[in-house]
Amino acid sequence: MVKTKLSGVNQNKYYASLLKDAYCGECGETFSMLQFQYFSYVISNFENEFTSQFYLIAQDDLEHHSMLGECIVKLGGDPTFISSKNIALNGNDFEYVKGIKQMILQGIEIKEKTIINYKILIAKIAEKEIKNILEIILTDEQKHKEILENMLKKYENN
């Protein structure tokens, strides 16, 4: 697990609250990790290449989840599985699609929303160390979107 280095950061409940949505809000890392893991499970017997891509994205999102959870704690917050709006993640929040194309399209949509959310977060947070962590995650999310777009092209060409 990555240890998030926030040596010079003071507690800041406002920043912790902002990070809660990236951690466990709509299209947050908890949601994304579980959604992509579900996709990998459903197609595991059929499409090994797509299965492994969904799995790897889920693993990256787990890493982001850990980084954000550590940040929230260091900022004086509590990394519960509830958004800053006090909305708990539940099984009805997920897409249980079974078709590969629908999964890829859903994944692209999730990543597009996630990218927008990270750009907004980066604009709202002045603390450089936290911004650096968010920029690392944003870069990963942009790569995920590109991977999914390439998967869609490959799927449509077969």
Side-chain angles (χ1 to χ4, degrees), residues 50-66:
F50 293 140
T51 300
S52 64
Q53 290 299 325
F54 286 140
Y55 177 79
L56 292 172
I57 291 171
Q59 293 306 299
D60 281 351
D61 289 341
L62 174 60
E63 191 70 27
H64 301 159
H65 178 267
S66 297

Side-chain angles (χ1 to χ4, degrees), residues 6-158:
L6 293 176
S7 55
V9 175
N10 294 322
Q11 288 194 352
N12 185 320
K13 299 274 184 165
Y14 173 67
Y15 286 173
S17 175
L18 290 176
L19 293 180
K20 286 275 292 201
D21 290 331
Y23 176 76
C24 195
E26 180 185 352
C27 291
E29 297 297 340
T30 307
F31 169 82
S32 185
M33 173 196 48
L34 293 171
Q35 183 69 74
F36 282 99
Q37 194 69 55
Y38 171 78
F39 290 163
S40 75
Y41 293 152
V42 170
I43 64 170
S44 63
N45 291 330
F46 307 107
E47 297 288 341
N48 290 334
E49 182 180 346
F50 293 140
T51 300
S52 64
Q53 290 299 325
F54 286 140
Y55 177 79
L56 292 172
I57 291 171
Q59 293 306 299
D60 281 351
D61 289 341
L62 174 60
E63 191 70 27
H64 301 159
H65 178 267
S66 297
M67 293 166 72
L68 291 169
E70 289 177 23
C71 286
I72 290 166
V73 169
K74 289 180 181 186
L75 289 166
D78 187 2
T80 59
F81 298 114
I82 300 171
S83 73
S84 67
K85 297 171 187 74
N86 211 26
I87 299 171
L89 188 63
N90 74 62
N92 293 324
D93 295 328
F94 298 93
E95 294 291 331
Y96 296 108
V97 295
K98 303 292 191 246
I100 294 168
K101 184 174 182 179
Q102 292 88 350
M103 290 177 187
I104 296 169
L105 290 171
Q106 180 64 28
I108 291 170
E109 183 180 330
I110 291 167
K111 293 304 175 179
E112 287 172 344
K113 289 178 183 177
T114 301
I115 289 166
I116 291 167
N117 290 341
Y118 276 112
K119 287 180 178 179
I120 291 168
L121 261 181
I122 290 166
K124 286 183 176 181
I125 294 178
E127 176 58 54
K128 181 123 179 84
E129 289 183 74
I130 297 170
K131 273 178 134 33
N132 288 341
I133 291 166
L134 295 174
E135 287 169 355
I136 289 167
I137 295 172
L138 174 60
T139 299
D140 286 348
E141 297 298 344
Q142 291 166 329
K143 288 177 189 172
H144 293 164
K145 182 177 176 256
E146 187 177 312
I147 289 166
L148 290 161
E149 289 169 341
N150 289 333
M151 288 169 61
L152 182 60
K153 287 177 193 168
K154 187 168 192 168
Y155 179 82
E156 289 177 337
N157 289 332
N158 287 335

